[in-house]
Amino acid sequence: MEHTRALVALTMFLLSYATDSAGDFTAVSKLRRNSQVTGGLCAHLIEPAGFPCTEHSTETKDGYLLGLQRVSSRSTIVRGEMGPPVLLIHGLFMAGDAWFMNSASESLGFILAEQGFDVWVGNVRGTRWSHGHVSLSVKNKEFWDWSWEELALYDLAEMIRYVNSITKAKILVVGHSQGTIMSLAAFTKPDIVEMVKAAALLCPISYLDHITTNFVLRLVKMRLDEIILGLGIHELNFKSNMGTQIMDMMCEGHIHCDIWLSAITGKNCCFNDSRIDFYLEYEPHPSSSKNLHHLFQMIRKGNFAMYDYGMWKNLMHYKQPEPPEFDISQIPTSLPLWMGYGGNDALADVIDVQHTLKQLKRKPDLLYIEEYGHIDFLLSIRAKEDVYDDMIMFFNSVQKISSFK
């Protein structure tokens, strides 16, 4: 029943895009309007929690202007010294605010700052904390002509380069969900990975052909991604007028939103659904239809490859009929990796995670939690004790080893 309701809502959403010639993307509910006001992530969410924060901006090679935030603790400011830089990379339909959604004692961004890390928060193109393009408007279809491939090879590459240039140090990278796809693809490139000291991947994804979410599988089977592109829809923005109304309808009484989320990501054991209203002030962020299409290609084909344009366009673009695959066996063995994954994750399925592990030449440090779902690694009220303490111990051990070299 919930799956059917969600499919109807998505159909309404797509039809609203196809028929809305005005292109009005202003949210209509009071709850959503709160997230549309001007100002950066620092002023909205981080500084009110008592953490020093500065806004930064950098430009990718293809002209996108990315927003980053640098977060520290007051004790770090008093001491006048910064710890090792760590870059946080969010998931699909999210942005840098995802790392600060819970209390200061529960959110990874705050926890890392309190532990003395020099925290950098990444926001990929198209999200509300990034700043557009040097020449393209968000109303141009060309602005949305990208997938996670560009997010990896342009956005993440530029964020790492920028943080490295400011701190003069190699970077610790933390990715969640889409952030792990980006990371694994980027780490196959020597010029990117040479600036990275270690990486922690939450719900690691490079293969998606064993996902267990029936809702997503139904969308893949009905080829929703191709329908969207066929309708000329290039931006997926659930903060549009119709999108906001649908989110309100789906989340009426809160329980529907939790069920809908579980239908997509898997059952989450420790997600605090009493905070859904607060989460929805910030989430979801826009993404591109091409990005969704690329992810659905991965589900259908079972590969970890560049975007498939079709045979003839592939020949022009790649000089071969099939898109090249990202060979994660090329990730250097000198790069320490840590991975956390869960038994209830319907997106980063255990079988697919094992596939990823077999491809890597260096065995990562692993943390497996049977009852955890996809969102638990980000928003569980127990995540500090269950996940983050182990991750920080890994980072500290990497720092100690490097200090002796």
Side-chain angles (χ1 to χ4, degrees), residues 39 43 54 122 150 157 224 242 271 306-307 318 347 361:
T54 54
E150 284 77 19
L224 178 72
M242 181 60 74
F271 173 68
M306 295 181 177
Y307 186 82
Y318 303 120
L347 295 177
K361 289 185 177 179

Side-chain angles (χ1 to χ4, degrees), residues 170-237:
K170 286 192 173 185
I171 318 302
L172 302 169
V173 173
V174 178
H176 174 251
S177 191
Q178 179 184 258
T180 72
I181 301 176
M182 294 164 55
S183 297
L184 289 167
F187 295 162
T188 65
K189 306 301 179 182
D191 60 322
I192 300 175
V193 75
E194 68 180 6
M195 295 180 285
V196 179
K197 176 169 286 187
L201 306 180
L202 299 167
C203 312
I205 296 172
S206 60
Y207 299 96
L208 283 168
D209 52 321
H210 288 89
I211 67 170
T212 56
T213 160
N214 289 327
F215 176 66
V216 174
L217 289 172
R218 287 176 67 182
L219 298 183
V220 172
K221 185 176 181 180
M222 66 183 285
R223 308 193 88 83
L224 178 72
D225 51 324
E226 296 174 2
I227 293 171
I228 292 172
L229 291 171
L231 288 170
I233 299 169
H234 302 284
E235 175 193 6
L236 294 179
N237 182 7

Side-chain angles (χ1 to χ4, degrees), residues 12 16 27 33 39 46 54 56 65 93 145 147 149 170 206 223 239 250 278 281-282 284 292 317 368 384 392 397 404:
M12 292 169 58
S16 76
R33 279 201 305 269
I46 299 171
T54 54
H56 294 253
L65 303 174
F93 295 125
D145 186 18
S147 75
E149 180 182 329
K170 286 192 173 185
S206 60
R223 308 193 88 83
K239 299 277 186 175
M250 293 300 300
F278 178 74
E281 290 186 32
Y282 296 91
L292 184 70
H317 197 77
Y368 174 74
K384 181 182 183 300
I392 291 171
S397 68
F404 285 111

Side-chain angles (χ1 to χ4, degrees), residues 197-335:
K197 176 169 286 187
L201 306 180
L202 299 167
C203 312
I205 296 172
S206 60
Y207 299 96
L208 283 168
D209 52 321
H210 288 89
I211 67 170
T212 56
T213 160
N214 289 327
F215 176 66
V216 174
L217 289 172
R218 287 176 67 182
L219 298 183
V220 172
K221 185 176 181 180
M222 66 183 285
R223 308 193 88 83
L224 178 72
D225 51 324
E226 296 174 2
I227 293 171
I228 292 172
L229 291 171
L231 288 170
I233 299 169
H234 302 284
E235 175 193 6
L236 294 179
N237 182 7
F238 287 91
K239 299 277 186 175
S240 67
N241 283 342
M242 181 60 74
T244 298
Q245 292 173 13
I246 289 170
M247 290 293 291
D248 286 337
M249 178 188 76
M250 293 300 300
C251 298
E252 181 183 0
H254 307 302
I255 184 63
H256 295 305
C257 195
D258 187 31
I259 292 174
W260 191 28
L261 184 63
S262 296
I264 297 171
T265 68
K267 182 176 177 56
N268 297 285
C269 70
C270 314
F271 173 68
N272 186 357
D273 60 10
S274 68
R275 292 181 62 83
I276 284 177
D277 279 355
F278 178 74
Y279 299 151
L280 289 178
E281 290 186 32
Y282 296 91
E283 317 299 340
H285 287 253
S287 190
S288 73
S289 302
K290 184 176 179 179
N291 192 26
L292 184 70
H293 186 38
H294 196 172
L295 292 167
F296 279 19
Q297 287 177 353
M298 294 169 66
I299 296 171
R300 293 188 185 105
K301 295 187 173 186
N303 62 10
F304 185 39
M306 295 181 177
Y307 186 82
D308 189 351
Y309 293 94
M311 184 178 71
W312 297 113
K313 286 188 178 180
N314 286 340
L315 286 170
M316 292 186 291
H317 197 77
Y318 303 120
K319 312 301 181 187
Q320 59 185 62
E322 293 292 331
E325 295 202 27
F326 287 100
D327 183 3
I328 59 177
S329 69
Q330 294 182 4
I331 297 175
T333 57
S334 58
L335 179 68

